[in-house]
Amino acid sequence: MRHEQILQLCVEGSYEARREALIRNVMSVDDVEYDAAEETVTEIANERKRLFVFEYLPYHTGMAAALGGGLISFPMIFHGDTVLWFNDKFVTTDVPDMKDLETFLEVGSFSWSWMEPIVGQVSFVLLVLQFARSQAINLGLKPYGDKMMSKRSKRMIKKYPQYDPMFLDWFARSEAMYSRD
């Protein structure tokens, strides 16, 4: 493939093209054949991934909290024993007759009086956070992911100053934790 085509694909965000452009840059700078340059780029890729666990920790934490909260909400609203325990320990509202708690929907109707404000407030906070993030992006402020990629890019350029900073920047920004390589 011609260099111009690879550069166009790099600008469009293609990971494969960015890797290929970096391989060709390594070939030129180090005066080596394709296979040796490919090994060097693999080392660069491994260095790029070295801090992925820490860089992506906020995403993993958020995902775990969201999934955990979502899963916990079902027994907190619909499971009779859990609802009665939570009411006894934290809410202390009057419990209806047991004949009115025979189905999960009846239990949900009873628990909803205290669960609705919690679920509603959490939903509203998430909505406001999404709106605030979109406004920050509109203002040109970089959310965490962009800052993380920028730091990763600077780290790669500092560690490999002999290679073209544009190719290293593109390569550093083109990969997520759970893809390729």
Side-chain angles (χ1 to χ4, degrees):
M1 188 178 288
R2 292 186 5 229
H3 295 304
E4 294 82 11
Q5 292 172 314
I6 290 174
L7 289 176
Q8 180 61 41
L9 290 170
C10 287
V11 170
E12 293 173 8
S14 167
Y15 167 78
E16 291 80 9
R18 289 177 174 188
R19 182 176 174 86
E20 182 64 26
L22 185 57
I23 289 171
R24 291 180 184 198
N25 181 244
V26 170
M27 288 172 63
S28 173
V29 170
D30 293 351
D31 194 28
V32 294
E33 294 295 317
Y34 189 88
D35 291 339
E38 196 172 30
E39 288 177 24
T40 302
V41 170
T42 299
E43 290 173 22
I44 293 171
N46 290 336
E47 173 63 26
R48 183 194 61 207
K49 290 180 177 182
R50 186 173 55 86
L51 297 178
F52 268 15
V53 172
F54 301 110
E55 291 174 345
Y56 286 94
L57 186 61
Y59 296 121
H60 287 125
T61 304
M63 188 170 67
L67 291 173
L71 290 173
I72 287 172
S73 71
F74 284 99
M76 293 292 291
I77 295 171
F78 297 110
H79 184 253
D81 293 338
T82 305
V83 167
L84 291 173
W85 172 84
F86 191 81
N87 179 58
D88 183 52
K89 297 292 182 192
F90 302 103
V91 181
T92 67
T93 192
D94 294 334
V95 178
D97 294 335
M98 292 314 283
K99 67 180 172 97
D100 292 331
L101 297 175
E102 291 176 350
T103 68
F104 74 94
L105 293 174
E106 292 172 329
V107 171
S109 179
F110 164 59
S111 67
W112 194 243
S113 63
W114 73 76
M115 289 301 292
E116 181 182 21
I118 296 168
V119 172
Q121 186 61 34
V122 169
S123 298
F124 182 72
V125 166
L126 291 173
L127 178 68
V128 168
L129 289 173
Q130 287 176 324
F131 179 73
R133 182 182 188 277
S134 69
Q135 295 312 307
I137 290 170
N138 289 340
L139 291 170
L141 301 174
K142 291 185 174 186
Y144 172 78
D146 288 341
K147 287 185 181 188
M148 175 193 62
M149 284 190 217
S150 179
K151 284 184 178 182
R152 182 189 311 150
S153 173
K154 288 176 184 173
R155 188 179 81 237
M156 300 307 297
I157 291 168
K158 184 177 179 183
K159 181 152 178 119
Y160 301 100
Q162 68 271 33
Y163 304 123
D164 190 299
M166 181 178 65
F167 294 136
L168 284 169
D169 177 64
W170 281 346
F171 189 67
R173 292 173 183 272
S174 65
E175 190 73 288
M177 186 170 194
Y178 298 110
S179 59
R180 296 180 196 88
D181 271 1

